[in-house]
Amino acid sequence: MLIAPSSRCAVHHRNDANSRSDVTKMSALFVFHSLYIIISNSISIFYYTTEETMDSNSKDFNSLAQVAKEVKGLGHHIHPTVPNPAPLGLFAFGLTTALLQIKHTRIGGDDSDDLNGTDAIVLGFALFFGGLLQIVAGLSEIKRNNIFGYTAFLLYGGFWMSMGTVEIVGLVAPEAPPVNPKASQALLILCGIFTTVLWICTFKMNKTICLLFGLLATTFYVLAAGVRNETIDQVGGYIGLLTAATAFWLASVEIINDVVGEGKEIIPLGLWSSTNHQEVSTGVIHVPGRIHAAIHGSVVNDLPEQDLSNCVDEENQLTD
């Protein structure tokens, strides 16, 4: 049978259209199937990943809580307890200061032999008792992270050792020129200045140590004025005795609070109202920021309980 050319073209076009329709359907089915596989796999991966993440976080919190417990147990090994050096330094300072004021007040006698005899006693105590022991106390404050105690004890320890050295030079070298009175005045005024700076710092500590440094600064200034005036020199000596008595009282309270009170302030030192009581729970020269490891442990031993409770709370929230 013969088919007209126009009929053959129509049949050919229908076959091509059917083929393209089938290809389009297959492509669409393939795309939908691929999307289904991708979405289902993504959901599965997200579910398992979330579950593993929650399990991992829970394990991390459990590990952190365990670490907190272990750190608490190692507190004394990380920051071993350090004895309080303040009583040592304060007793050394107070006794040597009192001895020197015997000369200024003329309590031990007014003639030259009496004054020279007092100098002989002060000389030995200035070098070792007032000087060396305060140096030891100041160096001990490094371990306690106490910049105030470190600075104060080393300054006054160096002052006493220097004063003793000046006296030794005068004894071993009689031909040496006498001490210049104006230089002595300048020395005492300069000591009064750095004592005033330390006195300002004591307003963040307690009223007793504030009184001590206030009296000490006053002693330096009055003694400077009394270098050429015997009456003023005597007044400075009596203020110095009051300073020494305050230092003795402070050292006594400090050691009683640490030993008898086991770190608690059983004898009050008069905290300023603006002072954080936890920052100066014990200690005369204990300032904010120092490592408090006197008797009841170090700061590392005091903190993990809070960290541990935070870990438990976060873990409970995650579980819920």
Side-chain angles (χ1 to χ4, degrees):
M1 178 183 293
L2 296 175
I3 300 176
S6 60
S7 299
R8 288 199 297 270
C9 288
V11 172
H12 179 70
H13 285 302
R14 283 196 298 271
N15 291 334
D16 289 343
N18 291 333
S19 298
R20 286 195 296 271
S21 177
D22 292 340
V23 170
T24 302
K25 290 179 181 179
M26 292 297 294
S27 299
L29 289 174
F30 177 76
V31 170
F32 284 123
H33 182 68
S34 299
L35 288 174
Y36 170 77
I37 292 174
I38 292 171
I39 292 172
S40 61
N41 288 337
S42 299
I43 293 173
S44 299
I45 291 172
F46 175 78
Y47 172 76
Y48 288 114
T49 302
T50 303
E51 193 175 59
E52 290 177 359
T53 302
M54 292 180 66
D55 292 340
S56 176
N57 289 338
S58 179
K59 292 178 181 179
D60 290 340
F61 282 118
N62 287 333
S63 300
L64 185 59
Q66 183 63 30
V67 169
K69 290 181 179 179
E70 293 179 0
V71 169
K72 181 181 178 181
L74 293 173
H76 290 284
H77 300 282
I78 297 173
H79 290 293
T81 56
V82 179
N84 181 6
L88 172 66
L90 287 169
F91 277 128
F93 169 81
L95 188 143
T96 312
T97 301
L99 283 178
L100 181 60
Q101 305 321 308
I102 294 176
K103 174 183 177 180
H104 289 289
T105 57
R106 278 63 173 181
I107 294 177
D110 204 5
D111 56 42
S112 60
D113 290 338
D114 293 331
L115 295 178
N116 291 334
T118 303
D119 281 337
I121 296 177
V122 173
L123 173 61
F125 276 85
L127 284 174
F128 295 98
F129 201 88
L132 182 60
L133 290 186
Q134 285 196 83
I135 296 294
V136 172
L139 294 176
S140 301
E141 292 287 5
I142 296 176
K143 184 65 175 177
R144 300 169 70 87
N145 193 28
N146 183 358
I147 186 173
F148 186 92
Y150 168 80
T151 303
F153 284 134
L154 289 182
L155 278 175
Y156 297 117
F159 168 80
W160 281 114
M161 296 192 80
S162 300
M163 291 291 292
T165 303
V166 171
E167 294 292 335
I168 290 176
V169 171
L171 291 175
V172 301
E175 68 280 1
V179 176
N180 188 333
K182 292 183 178 180
S184 298
Q185 284 183 317
L187 169 65
L188 293 169
I189 290 173
L190 290 173
C191 291
I193 290 173
F194 72 66
T195 302
T196 302
V197 174
L198 295 175
W199 173 68
I200 294 172
C201 297
T202 61
F203 285 93
K204 287 291 293 182
M205 301 164 68
N206 61 67
K207 296 177 182 179
T208 310
I209 193 171
C210 184
L211 174 63
L212 172 62
F213 278 85
L215 288 172
L216 181 57
T218 305
T219 301
F220 279 125
Y221 292 132
V222 175
L223 289 178
V227 170
R228 295 180 177 274
N229 188 302
E230 183 176 325
T231 302
I232 298 178
D233 186 60
Q234 283 184 293
V235 173
Y238 284 109
I239 298 175
L241 286 177
L242 185 59
T243 303
T246 306
F248 264 85
W249 166 254
L250 208 48
S252 302
V253 172
E254 181 72 4
I255 197 169
I256 290 172
N257 283 344
D258 270 352
V259 177
V260 180
E262 297 183 349
K264 298 179 181 179
E265 192 182 70
I266 60 176
I267 301 177
L269 293 170
L271 295 177
W272 297 104
S273 58
S274 60
T275 304
N276 188 336
H277 286 242
Q278 292 181 350
E279 291 173 344
V280 285
S281 56
T282 67
V284 50
I285 306 185
H286 301 167
V287 294
R290 75 165 179 83
I291 299 174
H292 181 62
I295 290 181
H296 36 265
S298 63
V299 289
V300 177
N301 201 25
D302 296 336
L303 294 180
E305 287 292 343
Q306 182 65 33
D307 295 340
L308 180 58
S309 62
N310 291 339
C311 294
V312 174
D313 293 340
E314 292 178 5
E315 181 181 357
N316 293 335
Q317 292 176 1
L318 183 63
T319 305
D320 297 337

